[in-house]
Amino acid sequence: GAVVSQHPSWVICKSGTSVKIECRSLDFQATTMFWYRQFPKQSLMLMATSNEGSKATYEQGVEKDKFLINHASLTLSTLTVTSAHPEDSSFYICSASLESSYNSPLHFGNGTRLTVT
Amino acid sequence: AQSVSQHNHHVILSEAASLELGCNYSYGGTVNLFWYVQYPGQHLQLLLKYFSGDPLVKGIKGFEAEFIKSKFSFNLRKPSVQWSDTAEYFCAVKTNAGKSTFGDGTTLTVKP
């Protein structure tokens, strides 16, 4: 159980275009999902916390108008990278917990490799 | 804000060698501690976790970790590694606020 599906696995887009990444919890409901960004040889950096039915909470330094997050249902959160630039090229990972308790581990999607040309 | 430090960026071992990966965290309050593993081509998955009770926790595939509160440490150990343990390992801290902070990760390469 606790499967998180992320789509697409990789995407290449041109500068100035927008890209949408989907994150689905397949066998559980997730009121909260987390979006991370990972640079090569570096750790996962939390970008934002996606809350079902309400606005996402963004970490300091993350542009909310550039990284649009929508969590319209208990099983789907989307991250849209708007007006993408080459510096947005990265590995984006979503995750969710089975329970909202603070000792509940995260379950991760497979990640999305974004390359902006 | 909490932070996590993993001491080793890349560890290379031969099969059957013992493993210990260091993890130290910085946070003054109650924490929950996790080790995640990412095998080549796969997604991150939970290896083990600690939130209370016995500070020595056992996870999957023979891994264990010991929480030493006085040292703010949560080192990962395995007595005898296998080639299939080659992966990237991340230590993470989760506070009551629900946010998880990850270390930079340690790449483990086990030579057959």
Side-chain angles (χ1 to χ4, degrees), chain B residues 30-41:
Chain B
T30 302
V31 293
N32 298 280
L33 300 158
F34 304 83
W35 275 97
Y36 292 93
V37 60
Q38 187 169 26
Y39 297 103

Side-chain angles (χ1 to χ4, degrees), chain B residues 16-36:
Chain B
S18 64
L19 169 72
E20 181 160 3
L21 301 182
C23 173
N24 284 88
Y25 68 93
S26 172
Y27 185 72
T30 302
V31 293
N32 298 280
L33 300 158
F34 304 83
W35 275 97
Y36 292 93

Side-chain angles (χ1 to χ4, degrees), chain A residues 34 36 38 41-44 46 49 57 59 91 93 97 99 101-110, chain B residues 30 32 34 36 38 42-46 49 51 88 90 94-96 98-100 102-105 107:
Chain A
F34 303 92
Y36 290 87
Q38 186 179 27
K41 305 296 183 184
Q42 293 188 28
S43 183
L44 286 77
L46 180 65
T49 302
T57 305
E59 294 301 298
F91 194 58
I93 307 171
S97 292
E99 303 165 9
S101 61
Y102 64 88
N103 57 25
S104 182
L106 292 172
H107 299 275
F108 294 87
N110 278 341
Chain B
T30 302
N32 298 280
F34 304 83
Y36 292 93
Q38 187 169 26
Q42 297 186 27
H43 62 274
L44 276 157
Q45 56 187 288
L46 180 68
K49 69 174 183 178
F51 60 91
E88 189 149 15
F90 292 91
K94 191 175 184 182
T95 67
N96 287 5
K99 293 181 182 177
S100 294
F102 290 79
D104 284 344
T107 302

